[in-house]
Amino acid sequence: MLPYAISEMSVWTIFAVSAVLSVAIVLTSKSFRPLSGRDGDLTSVQSAHRVATPRLGGIAIFASLIATLPFAPVYIETAYGNFLLAASVLFAAGLAEDLGWRVPPRGRLLAAVVASLLVIVMLDAWVPRIGWSVLEPIMASGLLGIPLTIFVVVGISNAFNLIDGVNGLAGTTALVCAVALGWISHATGYDAMMTFTTLLALGIGGFLLLNYPFGLIFLGDAGAYTLGFVLAWFGVAIVMNHSDVTPWAILLTMFWPIADTLLAIYRRGLGKRPAMQPDRLHVHQLVMRSLEITWLGRDRRAVSNPLTTLVLLPFIVAPACLGVLLWDQPALAFGAFVGLVVLFFVAYFLMTFLVSSGRFGRLRTTAPPPLSEHPAE
């Protein structure tokens, strides 16, 4: 059953806006080179595709967000409009990068900080508690709550960008997060947020029609950063509007991108490399190469790429389900989050050992060969 504020017209409108724009971008890119991907995309160290592909899915995502504004409950329409205005700062920075104007990672993170500050100033919003009584007064006052909120929101925004490496992974993860946040909103009676999460899921669904399984369009930085930003702030709003919701349950709904980012920071720190330096050692990259080496063959990227998302989907859904189940259980949610992080690290390093030892072939961390050496998809 749909939330009370969601009509059948709103469902089809949001889905259609995202789907139609995605189709339009794909079709237009065939005759307009700047839309078909940036120079160097295919040979970048983290690349997982072999044909030039438009990475402007963020336009479809953000347009669908704008299209949700007329369907916002009247009593928070202005606040929601201000939120989307703040999000547009980050969207613009990501879009500039997607169009080849080279906004460095620090520039995009700065845009996320600015966008978060705008939300805090315009909406007077931040995480008011983390479940530890000794810290609650300074969390609620903003002395700790504001910087911690900015840190978490910026981190989650970047985290969704980091997992955007194979067809459907970031989009599907965002869809799972939106649904999980919607269930928590339903459990708390927060109907407005249930409306927003449902409409966001519809917008993501329209994009996924073109993104998965064939990868005809990618989220790009604009789409990945924007989705992470919006989902993170939706989570903050839920915590603010219902005192029984633990922030750790919200983090569980977004566990996969958070864990992957923590692992990337740890991994690059061990190698004494910059935290923002890309590599080919994310979990989805290891899974994809393992599938090619052990089963599909190295020339089956068109199959291994989307199959990787299916393989990882249970591990994305399970923590989100825990978040839904433990939304009002701070100790259990915290324990589940920490336990899953430990399990994630152990499983990753076990996989790395098996691959590095030759059981699944050799691990490649450098850039792929030139485009001319790639078989066409």
Side-chain angles (χ1 to χ4, degrees):
M1 181 179 295
L2 292 172
Y4 76 97
I6 300 183
S7 64
E8 185 175 345
M9 182 182 74
S10 66
V11 168
W12 287 110
T13 297
I14 304 307
F15 185 84
V17 165
S18 181
V20 169
L21 275 175
S22 296
V23 171
I25 291 169
V26 171
L27 295 178
T28 306
S29 68
K30 298 182 182 301
S31 55
F32 188 48
R33 177 65 181 86
L35 297 182
S36 61
R38 306 168 305 180
D39 294 337
D41 278 351
L42 294 173
T43 55
S44 63
V45 67
Q46 72 271 33
S47 176
H49 60 289
R50 293 171 174 170
V51 294
T53 304
R55 43 180 289 132
L56 297 176
I59 294 176
I61 294 295
F62 196 72
S64 67
L65 280 170
I66 297 299
T68 65
L69 189 54
F71 305 108
V74 175
Y75 65 95
I76 57 170
E77 186 176 5
T78 300
Y80 185 58
N82 287 336
F83 171 68
L84 294 181
L85 180 63
S88 69
V89 173
L90 182 55
F91 167 75
L95 183 61
E97 169 67 13
D98 294 334
L99 291 171
W101 296 343
R102 298 303 177 190
V103 179
R106 292 184 186 276
R108 281 168 269 153
L109 293 181
L110 178 60
V113 171
V114 171
S116 294
L117 284 172
L118 287 173
V119 175
I120 291 169
V121 170
M122 291 191 293
L123 304 183
D124 196 30
W126 61 82
V127 177
R129 63 188 181 280
I130 56 174
W132 299 333
S133 57
V134 67
L135 296 177
E136 303 304 52
I138 54 176
M139 285 291 297
S141 70
L143 290 176
L144 179 59
I146 289 175
L148 182 61
T149 299
I150 293 173
F151 176 78
V152 171
V153 170
V154 171
I156 291 174
S157 300
N158 185 60
F160 272 88
N161 189 53
L162 290 182
I163 65 168
D164 188 24
V166 293
N167 299 351
L169 182 60
T172 301
T173 302
L175 181 63
V176 170
C177 292
V179 172
L181 292 177
W183 275 105
I184 294 174
S185 300
H186 174 68
T188 63
Y190 191 4
D191 292 328
M193 185 53 64
M194 190 176 177
T195 296
F196 293 141
T197 54
T198 302
L199 293 178
L200 175 62
L202 289 165
I204 297 169
F207 160 78
L208 283 173
L209 284 180
L210 279 292
N211 174 248
Y212 190 84
F214 301 112
L216 300 178
I217 187 172
F218 299 147
L219 275 174
D221 289 73
Y225 275 102
T226 299
L227 281 176
F229 181 85
V230 169
L231 287 165
W233 273 109
F234 280 1
V236 172
I238 294 171
V239 172
M240 287 187 63
N241 280 273
H242 203 294
S243 60
D244 287 340
V245 177
T246 170
W248 297 106
I250 301 298
L251 293 179
L252 279 170
T253 67
M254 308 174 194
F255 175 80
W256 189 265
I258 292 172
D260 187 78
T261 300
L262 292 175
L263 181 59
I265 294 171
Y266 176 77
R267 185 176 67 239
R268 292 164 188 174
L270 278 182
K272 297 181 179 180
R273 291 178 288 116
M276 304 301 294
Q277 180 180 330
D279 58 29
R280 294 171 61 85
L281 293 172
H282 292 281
V283 174
H284 58 266
Q285 293 164 330
L286 291 183
V287 170
M288 182 174 63
R289 296 206 297 280
S290 296
L291 287 171
E292 292 173 350
I293 293 168
T294 62
W295 182 28
L296 297 169
R298 295 178 182 271
D299 60 344
R300 300 296 302 279
R301 180 60 54 86
V303 177
S304 64
N305 186 313
L307 185 57
T308 297
T309 297
L310 283 182
V311 170
L312 294 177
L313 187 58
F315 304 101
I316 296 167
V317 172
C321 290
L322 279 177
V324 172
L325 292 172
L326 302 176
W327 67 268
D328 59 348
Q329 303 292 324
L332 290 177
F334 174 74
F337 184 83
V338 172
L340 286 174
V341 169
V342 172
L343 184 61
F344 183 89
F345 271 65
V346 170
Y348 175 85
F349 285 113
L350 177 60
M351 181 185 298
T352 303
F353 169 76
L354 292 174
V355 174
S356 300
S357 65
R359 288 172 172 81
F360 293 131
R362 292 296 174 184
L363 198 62
R364 185 173 69 190
T365 62
T366 56
L371 179 60
S372 60
E373 296 183 26
H374 285 306
E377 287 189 334

